[in-house]
Amino acid sequence: MSDIQKAMALLISTFDKYSGKEGDKNTLSKEELKDLLQNEFGEMLCKSNDKAAIDRIFNDLDRDKSNSVDFGEFVRMVCCLTEMCHEYFVSRK
């Protein structure tokens, strides 16, 4: 597999690792999203014990207001974070 294909597979497997623990295997509940953010992003995204930050991130991601985050919503978050990191490192050169 190419590097991009590996990255895509990793996104899918990471989402699947956390989704469905509390119900629908195709979505993340707020608690599942919190676990994913804490374990996969650490302090990069927010303080893991900051409930208001977790709530804000969840509400921003849950665009269709289904009270869950689907794979598309999750991928948009990862893409936005990746773009921000890229911009940060390009500006530091």
Side-chain angles (χ1 to χ4, degrees), residues 48-92:
S48 57
N49 60 353
D50 186 347
K51 183 178 175 351
I54 297 292
D55 288 344
R56 204 168 35 256
I57 292 168
F58 185 84
N59 290 330
D60 288 345
L61 290 176
D62 185 20
R63 292 186 173 246
D64 62 3
K65 303 304 175 205
S66 62
N67 208 30
S68 62
V69 173
D70 64 27
F71 185 72
E73 292 164 331
F74 165 72
V75 169
R76 279 188 282 286
M77 176 193 70
V78 173
C79 288
C80 288
L81 289 171
T82 303
E83 185 176 7
M84 289 180 352
C85 287
H86 179 260
E87 289 172 4
Y88 173 78
F89 289 114
V90 166
S91 70
R92 293 185 55 108

Side-chain angles (χ1 to χ4, degrees), residues 3 5 7-8 12-14 18 20 26 34-35 43 50 53 57 62 65-66 70 75 80 86 89 93:
D3 288 344
Q5 290 170 329
M8 291 166 60
I12 294 167
S13 65
T14 300
Y18 293 92
N26 297 310
K34 177 184 169 195
D35 290 345
E43 298 298 314
D50 186 347
I57 292 168
D62 185 20
K65 303 304 175 205
S66 62
D70 64 27
V75 169
C80 288
H86 179 260
F89 289 114
K93 288 184 180 179

